[in-house]
């Protein structure tokens, strides 16, 4: 089984998105899957030109010569496609959106059909991607509440309907920065990381992820009021430290806030 995964966090493997993505992919590897992980930050991906050359003239070939050319052959073989993105302004990052626009269009057709009662472009099966491939979303966000993810989950589900692919679930981590801090502090959050690994194992071995497993990944780590309080305390401390530094000493706070 082949897994094609993308992480669009600019913080890459050091980010909060990776905290859940890594054990998830490890779980899939443990179950025997071959995993290819790409960081969009390290890839050169031009924006879709919107000229439909790929579906009108070149038989599904995108003419833009950039790192997407190494992705298309992997996409054709992928059984599971993982989109991992931190939540940016209630949606995916621009890096992920640019990638997704380039990912699907060459697999399509300029014609229209009625599928499940609504207009779609027919998908050229077997050409761009496997019709049996499953899509998984991995995301984390700075705010506390789960419903911050609603627009992103709906968007990914809509993309799956558009491309006629199965949406196999979402690993969502609200108040994401807290998880990394609690791991560093040795707080009891191992269950969350273990659930992420179990989710990967389940997806490969059983073809689906149990709802209970997803719920553990998303469980509250701290109360809403404590989260606001500790966040504001950390920002205050940070501002005090930075205000005493010369401009050349000032460093950027990574992953500290929403
Ligand atoms: C430009 C930008 C926009 C963001 N928008 C949101 C948002 O709309 N809602 C939210 O809860 N968090 C938002 N965040 C916070 C990130 O989702 C959060 O810090 C996340 O943990 C970052 O993941 P990473 O460490 O993998 O990059 C935003 C962060 C940035 C930099």
């Amino acid at each position: 089984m082949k897994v094609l995964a993308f992480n669009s966090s600019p913080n890459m493997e050091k980010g909060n998105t990776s905290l859940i993505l890594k054990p998830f992919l490890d779980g899939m590897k443990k179950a025997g899957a071959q995993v290819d992980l790409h960081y969009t930050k390290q890839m050169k991906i031009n924006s879709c030109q919107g000229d439909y050359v790929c579906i009108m003239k070149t038989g599904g070939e995108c003419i833009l010569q950039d790192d997407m050319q190494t992705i298309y052959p992997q996409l054709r073989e992928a059984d599971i496609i993982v989109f991992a993105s931190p939540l940016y302004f209630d949606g995916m990052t621009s890096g992920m959106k640019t990638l997704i626009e380039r990912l699907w269009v060459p697999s399509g057709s300029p014609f229209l059909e009625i599928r499940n009662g609504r207009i779609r472009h027919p998908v050229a099966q077997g050409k761009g991607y496997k019709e049996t491939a499953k899509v998984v979303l991995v995301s984390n966000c700075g705010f506390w509440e789960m419903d911050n993810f609603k627009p992103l989950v709906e968007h990914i589900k809509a993309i799956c309907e558009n491309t006629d692919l199965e949406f196999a679930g979402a690993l969502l981590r609200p108040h994401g920065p807290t998880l990394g801090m609690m791991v560093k502090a040795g707080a009891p959050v191992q269950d969350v990381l273990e659930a992420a690994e179990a989710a990967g194992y389940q997806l490969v071995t059983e073809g689906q992820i149990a709802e209970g497993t997803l719920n553990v990944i998303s469980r509250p780590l701290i109360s809403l009021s404590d989260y606001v309080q500790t966040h504001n305390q950390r920002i205050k401390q940070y501002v005090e430290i930075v205000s005493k530094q010369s401009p050349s000493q000032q460093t950027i706070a990574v992953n500290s806030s929403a």
Side-chain angles (χ1 to χ4, degrees), residues 162-176:
N162 205 342
T163 52
D164 211 11
L165 288 175
E166 180 186 333
F167 175 68
L171 282 65
L172 305 174
R173 186 54 264 166
H175 44 287

Side-chain angles (χ1 to χ4, degrees), residues 128-197:
Y129 52 91
K130 287 187 181 178
E131 60 192 285
T132 52
K134 295 171 196 281
V135 171
V136 180
L137 168 67
V138 176
S139 189
N140 91 101
C141 74
F143 293 153
W144 191 87
E145 303 85 353
M146 269 296 274
D147 64 4
N148 287 291
F149 293 111
K150 259 189 196 168
L152 177 58
V153 172
E154 286 308 311
H155 192 178
I156 295 290
K157 280 184 180 171
I159 289 170
C160 287
E161 279 181 29
N162 205 342
T163 52
D164 211 11
L165 288 175
E166 180 186 333
F167 175 68
L171 282 65
L172 305 174
R173 186 54 264 166
H175 44 287
T178 305
L179 179 61
M181 281 180 250
M182 291 179 88
V183 169
K184 273 189 205 145
V189 289
Q190 208 53 33
D191 61 323
V192 174
L193 305 178
E194 283 167 7
E197 187 177 307

Side-chain angles (χ1 to χ4, degrees), residues 1 6 50 52-53 63 70 80 99 101 103 106 112 117-118 154 185 191 193 198 202 218 223 254 258:
M1 184 166 287
F6 301 100
Y52 298 104
V53 166
I63 55 168
T70 61
I80 298 170
L99 172 109
E101 288 168 13
L103 207 54
L112 295 176
R118 58 174 295 177
E154 286 308 311
D191 61 323
L193 305 178
Q202 286 167 15
S218 306
S223 74
V254 177

Side-chain angles (χ1 to χ4, degrees), residues 9-61:
S9 164
N11 297 304
M12 299 198 287
E13 73 280 0
K14 295 196 173 81
N16 301 315
T17 307
S18 187
L19 276 174
I20 294 295
L21 179 65
K22 189 179 176 303
F24 180 53
L25 298 181
D26 285 346
M28 293 203 258
K29 284 181 204 164
K30 266 193 186 167
Q34 179 199 311
V35 177
D36 284 305
L37 169 63
H38 301 274
Y39 293 101
T40 57
K41 187 182 178 181
Q42 291 177 330
M43 298 170 71
K44 180 163 170 39
I45 309 176
N46 293 297
S47 298
C48 174
Q49 301 295 294
D51 52 15
Y52 298 104
V53 166
C54 54
I55 53 174
M56 297 297 284
K57 290 189 182 167
T58 60
E61 299 287 321

